[in-house]
Amino acid sequence: MRAATVVPGRPDSAAVTEIPEPSPADGAVLVEGMLIGICGTDVEIVRQRFGQPPPGEERLVLGHESVGRVLEAPAGSDLAPGDLVVGVVRRPDPEPCSCCARDQWDFCRNGRFTERGIKGRHGYGAGRWRIEEKFAVKIDSTLGDLGVLLEPTSVVAKAWEQIERIGARACFDARRVLITGAGPIGLLAGLLGVQRGFDVHVLDLVTTGPKPKLVAELGATYHHGGVGELGFEPDIVVECTGVGELVLDIAGSCAPGAIICLAGISSGQRRLPVNLDRINAELVMENTVLFGTVNAARRHYEQAASALLRADQGWLSGVISRRVPLRSWPDALSKRPDDVKVVVDLRD
Ligand code: BGC
């Protein structure tokens, strides 16, 4: 069986390799892989040794953004052959910590969690994969290939859930939302903001290509340039670029009582002289909350599934800007100017 594999940290090792059929130890549900999505984390795994293969192995099967069709499900299961499923990324740590014991693996407290396609477990980038029923999320069959957007949507569904929970600390009549970064995470965060009735603004650097159009089609406002040039103070910010410098600009540019959610994972090593006392004073004096969020629990995948079903399918299709067949999947790793979400077709 063919799979998209890599030795983490060795870009020239990205290849299509033959691997054995999935082991029943991975779960009782057998799935035919349809698509995987490629994101910044995958690129980091290939280039910078962020990922980790399963113990004792050299290569990692990539793919944490998945969609596939059930081939076999155990008797009495809620799943049946033909159902479309998406695999949850994280598995609880073996201890388990207090959060993993409550199925809140996205808040794992000891860092010993594993993640399919990222940390200590093979991913979903293969012709067939197995999964435990608890970690397989069934999606409406009308979504089809668009189900590959479920995992990134689960990450922003969690972000929005956390924002709403923090907002409940006091009266909070938030109206204007700023999303920084018009990549897939930023666009999906924008979609969920629009679905909640907010006035959504998306900031990015580009002036051409599909991103400004996708933002406009969402009913949101596109901006390019700096946070200081926006002309308004956002009540909520979802930072999706991971650019540390931007976080500083945002911290000084929000409305009183703002909630700033950091959802982009930084990979750079930039250093800047920063007046932390000024930032501290700004955050304290305005009751600002700055928080980080990563990964998603099962309920966030379910929230994401209903958000995707409510969305315009034509718009969602536009987010998937390039499809690469499995046989040449390493092409998906090099960024092209008009890329938004690049997916690998495991059937080709
Ligand atoms: C994935 C998360 C994961 C994180 C860190 C992201 O790209 O979407 O599920 O927890 O990387 O490994």
Side-chain angles (χ1 to χ4, degrees), residues 315-347:
W315 184 84
L316 292 175
S317 307
V319 173
I320 300 180
S321 54
R322 185 155 65 96
R323 283 171 182 260
V324 177
L326 174 60
R327 70 187 119 85
S328 52
W329 82 268
D331 289 351
L333 296 168
S334 20
K335 199 147 179 57
R336 299 196 187 159
D338 282 354
D339 279 347
V340 187
K341 171 57 71 187
V342 179
V343 298
V344 175
D345 197 325
L346 301 167
R347 299 156 294 194

Side-chain angles (χ1 to χ4, degrees), residues 39-42 45 50 64-65 88-90 106 113-116 118-119 151-152 154-155 185 263 265 293-296 301:
C39 80
T41 301
D42 299 298
I45 292 171
F50 173 71
H64 62 277
E65 299 179 2
V88 168
V89 175
R90 199 173 274 193
D106 55 318
F113 60 83
T114 50
E115 288 183 337
R116 289 204 60 168
I118 302 177
K119 184 173 180 270
E151 194 277 340
S154 74
V155 168
I185 289 284
I265 306 176
T293 179
V294 70
N295 197 253
Y301 285 78

Side-chain angles (χ1 to χ4, degrees), residues 106-153:
D106 55 318
F107 273 90
C108 178
R109 295 183 59 81
N110 62 24
R112 291 173 60 211
F113 60 83
T114 50
E115 288 183 337
R116 289 204 60 168
I118 302 177
K119 184 173 180 270
R121 280 179 194 261
H122 287 312
Y124 303 114
R128 282 172 295 286
W129 37 270
R130 280 189 175 272
I131 189 162
E132 315 86 327
E133 188 171 356
K134 178 174 176 179
F135 296 103
V137 182
K138 182 170 158 178
I139 57 164
D140 196 283
S141 60
T142 57
L143 281 174
D145 283 2
L146 296 175
V148 75
L149 297 175
L150 189 75
E151 194 277 340
T153 311

Side-chain angles (χ1 to χ4, degrees), residues 61-74:
V61 177
L62 221 58
H64 62 277
E65 299 179 2
S66 66
V67 63
R69 191 175 295 280
V70 173
L71 294 172
E72 281 172 31

